[in-house]
Amino acid sequence: MKRIAIFCVNYNSYRELTGYFQSLLSAVSKANAGQEAVVSLDVFVADNTEENPQEIALGDTGTLPITCRIFPFHRNLGYFGAVGEMMKEVDVSVYDYVLISNVDLTVADDFFVKLLDYPCDATTGEIAPQIYSQGEMRDKNPKILHRYSLRKLKILKLLYHYPILETLYTRTFYRRKKYHQPHPAGQIYAGHGSLVILTKKYFELCGKIDYPVFLFCEEIYLAEQCLKAGLSVEYVPDIKVMDAEHVSTGCMRHGFYCRCNYEAMRYIIDRFYKMPDY
């Protein structure tokens, strides 16, 4: 039996969390439909909701091999900040796969079937599934095909340092960009951060999540960790997720959004780019 963990973060998204959990139940049920169970799932939920938090009760899992643990932080620790806090209390080394995700998602019924069918080898650190955006009507993966240059990161940092520049860019050049065409399965630089699948080998070589940034650039952090450890990021579109997207970040104030992105860019540059290339 494959042991799988999911670390997900809720911020005022209780309805979406319930829907996400129900889709996980369906996917585990389908994977275990044979004579023997092949998947066990442990779900860890961080509740970052600060005002008017609700009690999280995800319902009965019946006889399915699923456990759920709630971390009622009730303060906004950010995305990977909350994941890191949960992982301090969990031995991630026992899992074959560890998923990190938002909760405004649903997984396909055959999600775990396809994950177990994937021939993952010892050089794979991260699996990037198909993440279909219902708003944009496209797959959000691959997120980044090739590693960014230091020059590009510095330009992005500059845009976020001056929010008016970021606004002008978003309303002009960004809108003219065409969405990428469907991409074949295979190695990429970084997968989209709304749901990532990390392998046992990732945690053996890279350790637990330790990303001291409130929001954004999580994809680059994971990609750089894999790159440094000699691991690959593999895009596998047969593993499918549907994304309602931006339930939490869509209502952020623009100034705060830019400040978080600026801090994330600065950290990535300082941590991974101010050193000889490996």
Side-chain angles (χ1 to χ4, degrees), residues 95-133:
Y95 296 104
D96 296 286
Y97 294 105
V98 172
L99 282 63
I100 299 174
S101 76
N102 297 320
V103 300
D104 51 344
L105 310 166
T106 55
V107 302
D109 278 353
D110 63 355
F111 180 90
F112 293 113
V113 173
K114 294 295 186 180
L115 177 57
L116 268 59
D117 284 345
Y118 178 70
C120 185
D121 61 34
T123 65
T124 302
E126 176 186 338
I127 296 172
Q130 176 184 149
I131 301 178
Y132 186 79
S133 166

Side-chain angles (χ1 to χ4, degrees), residues 219-252:
E219 301 98 338
I220 298 178
Y221 164 78
L222 292 176
E224 290 294 317
Q225 292 284 86
C226 286
L227 188 63
K228 186 176 180 180
L231 299 173
S232 67
V233 178
E234 300 291 334
Y235 170 55
V236 185
D238 282 348
I239 305 172
K240 298 178 182 180
V241 179
M242 282 65 70
D243 186 5
E245 72 184 330
H246 304 322
V247 169
S248 298
T249 60
C251 58
M252 291 177 65

Side-chain angles (χ1 to χ4, degrees), residues 17-34:
L17 172 60
T18 299
Y20 182 37
F21 188 72
Q22 289 303 312
S23 75
L24 294 172
L25 292 181
S26 296
V28 171
S29 178
K30 185 177 182 67
N32 291 336

